[in-house]
Amino acid sequence: MTADEIRAAIAADPELQALVPDTVAIAAALSAGRTRWKHTEIGVGTIIEVLGLADANPVLDTLYASPDYRHVKPLLDQGRLRLDVVAQAGMLQPLVTGELLTQAQLDALIARAKEADPVDEYAVRVAVYDDDGSLRV
């Protein structure tokens, strides 16, 4: 987050305002639940690992047998299906509609492509304090 974004978040949230000047607590509060996409490529093994063998088998059978998913098979075979790429992750959504995957299972697969994105305490300190040490917010 930029200093302006941090100040805007503090200005918009009374709970964050109550934490000023505790920059550690503000950073922790701003970090809660923040994630970012990471470059993650998955293959057949990841699907089996996340879903378990019993749930993964019908999904993989469908992906390999259906012409609708012919573009997914090579990516899986090569371990190159990128769930951080919206177009590629979106290719799996019809499996939920077709009831081969639950939304929770698809979300668990997509979660493999995310990582925590904490707000740096120093960035909060820079946003909260002026150069002379006085509070800016």
Side-chain angles (χ1 to χ4, degrees):
M1 294 181 82
T2 67
D4 288 338
E5 290 170 332
I6 292 168
R7 283 190 290 274
I10 293 169
D13 186 342
E15 290 180 15
L16 289 175
Q17 291 169 18
L19 296 175
V20 173
D22 187 347
T23 56
V24 172
I26 295 169
L30 289 171
S31 297
R34 271 179 63 94
T35 59
R36 65 177 166 230
W37 290 105
K38 63 181 178 178
H39 178 87
T40 302
E41 298 177 331
I42 69 166
V44 172
T46 304
I47 290 177
I48 292 170
E49 179 185 326
V50 171
L51 301 181
L53 192 57
D55 288 337
N57 277 334
V59 170
L60 292 170
D61 289 345
T62 298
L63 290 174
Y64 279 91
S66 173
D68 294 338
Y69 297 103
R70 66 187 172 282
H71 50 287
V72 176
K73 182 183 179 298
L75 295 172
L76 282 174
D77 286 344
Q78 298 165 15
R80 292 184 35 234
L81 182 62
R82 298 263 317 268
L83 296 179
D84 60 320
V85 176
V86 174
Q88 290 186 22
M91 289 187 276
L92 300 180
Q93 190 63 46
L95 294 173
V96 174
T97 306
E99 298 182 358
L100 281 168
L101 276 178
T102 66
Q103 188 63 51
Q105 289 170 321
L106 180 57
D107 292 346
L109 284 170
I110 291 173
R112 295 300 283 277
K114 292 186 176 183
E115 63 187 358
D117 186 20
V119 176
D120 182 60
E121 184 275 335
Y122 180 74
V124 173
R125 200 174 337 144
V126 168
V128 169
Y129 289 101
D130 279 322
D131 291 342
D132 65 3
S134 61
L135 282 175
R136 185 167 185 174
V137 292

